[in-house]
Amino acid sequence: MNDDRPVLLETRGTCLHLTLNRPRALNALSHTMVRLLDEALSRAERDESIGSVLLSGAGDRGLCAGGDIRALHDDARASGRASLEFWRDEYRLNARIARFPKPYVALMDGIVMGGGVGVSAHSGIRVVTERSRVAMPETAIGFVPDVGGTRLLASAPGELGTHLALTGRSVGAADAVLCGLADHHVPARLLPALIEALIEALGEPAGQDASVAGIVQRFATEPPAGELAAQRDWIDSCYAADSVEEILRQLRESGVPAAEAAADELLTKSPLALKVTLAAVRRAARLDSLEAVLDQEFRVSSRAFAHPDFVEGVRARIIDKDNEPQWKPGSLAEVDDQEVARFFAPLGPGEQELGLAPESTHTPVDEGQAG
């Protein structure tokens, strides 16, 4: 009989195995799933009999395709607030995962996007396979990378993170490792054996002393060749610019076909989301903790949620699938710096900040380039 619980919890030996269990929805995260994961990890932190945590997704299509976008879209159309509470709990979960005091292994097989990155890429041991496609694709739906994604992308070598943040492109195993989104490549066919090896070793009386990283390393192999390493020259040069307009100009004038294709791609995204995303990644690089970045992202997400581009982007890309979003404003030239800065300003009356980090760790709102 199929188990329809959205998150499966199984303790074997000293290993707690968490399985995201919505395979028909590519294990997209609901608020219930976020709460279940947070409760399980909170208990595991205190339980001395738990030595490690393993996260995987049901089915063979992906770990997690992100949040439940249709539910977020419907909430935004109804001028609701449920999505903000979802993000509040989700971002707190992301911070808990990053600070989890025991080995946390995330199997990032298949599709890993948006919220899926949040529950995996902040963990201590991150495993990708030849089937992995990792992305923060928010600009395509008029949104901005969140779940700590702006910190991850800001930390990538050179301007690779800026490229991925603005285009929303997905990367395979080798490029995920290059960008610091993953640690090890294990062939998908070996994942069942890896899971059993982890559970078997950690289930022994001396399991607490077993090296989880060492077990994963036994199964790790070189991933199939990626694409980004060979493109570093034009990516680092073009995306170092201080504005989206200048990035586009440099991409166009580079003479590199791949750069010109990236420029074409950027022009299909929400102009406002592009400018806010660039500002968010640049600001994240100046913040000194994941918690401070998550606080910033909560402000940005709250403002993006209320902007028409989010509803329109989801409609065009996911619901109607006509791929003809009518962005407001419709061009980069129409997006002014004050509008971008508003996304980073403190939340107003009746709104509650996320408040994960002390205020002193935040970059002042008027510091630096707005985007």
Side-chain angles (χ1 to χ4, degrees), residues 108 121 126-128 134 173 175-185:
M108 301 168 69
R126 306 161 300 176
V127 177
V128 284
V134 184
D175 289 332
V177 173
L178 172 64
C179 292
L181 301 172
D183 305 301
H184 306 281
H185 167 263

Side-chain angles (χ1 to χ4, degrees), residues 7 11 72 82 91 110 121 154 163 215 222 269 338 352 360:
V7 178
T11 301
L72 297 171
Y91 299 176
H163 172 59
I215 295 169
E222 283 295 315
K269 314 298 184 185
Q338 286 188 338
Q352 182 183 355
S360 61

Side-chain angles (χ1 to χ4, degrees), residues 5 45 55-56 92 134 171 225 234 239 261 263 288 303 340 347 358:
R5 291 176 295 168
E45 284 183 26
L55 178 74
S56 63
R92 290 182 179 277
V134 184
V171 295
W234 68 262
Y239 286 94
D288 62 4
R303 270 52 185 269
V340 173
L347 298 178

Side-chain angles (χ1 to χ4, degrees), residues 157-173:
E159 295 295 335
L160 293 178
T162 309
H163 172 59
L164 297 182
L166 294 180
T167 62
R169 286 186 182 177
S170 63
V171 295

Side-chain angles (χ1 to χ4, degrees), residues 134-214:
V134 184
M136 296 298 295
E138 286 77 9
T139 56
I141 57 169
F143 204 65
V144 179
D146 64 340
V147 298
T150 58
R151 180 176 176 85
L152 292 166
L153 294 170
S155 300
E159 295 295 335
L160 293 178
T162 309
H163 172 59
L164 297 182
L166 294 180
T167 62
R169 286 186 182 177
S170 63
V171 295
D175 289 332
V177 173
L178 172 64
C179 292
L181 301 172
D183 305 301
H184 306 281
H185 167 263
V186 173
R189 61 183 175 79
L190 296 183
L191 289 183
L194 170 60
I195 292 171
E196 288 305 311
L198 284 168
I199 291 171
E200 180 180 351
L202 298 171
E204 296 298 320
Q208 297 278 4
D209 299 324
S211 168
V212 175

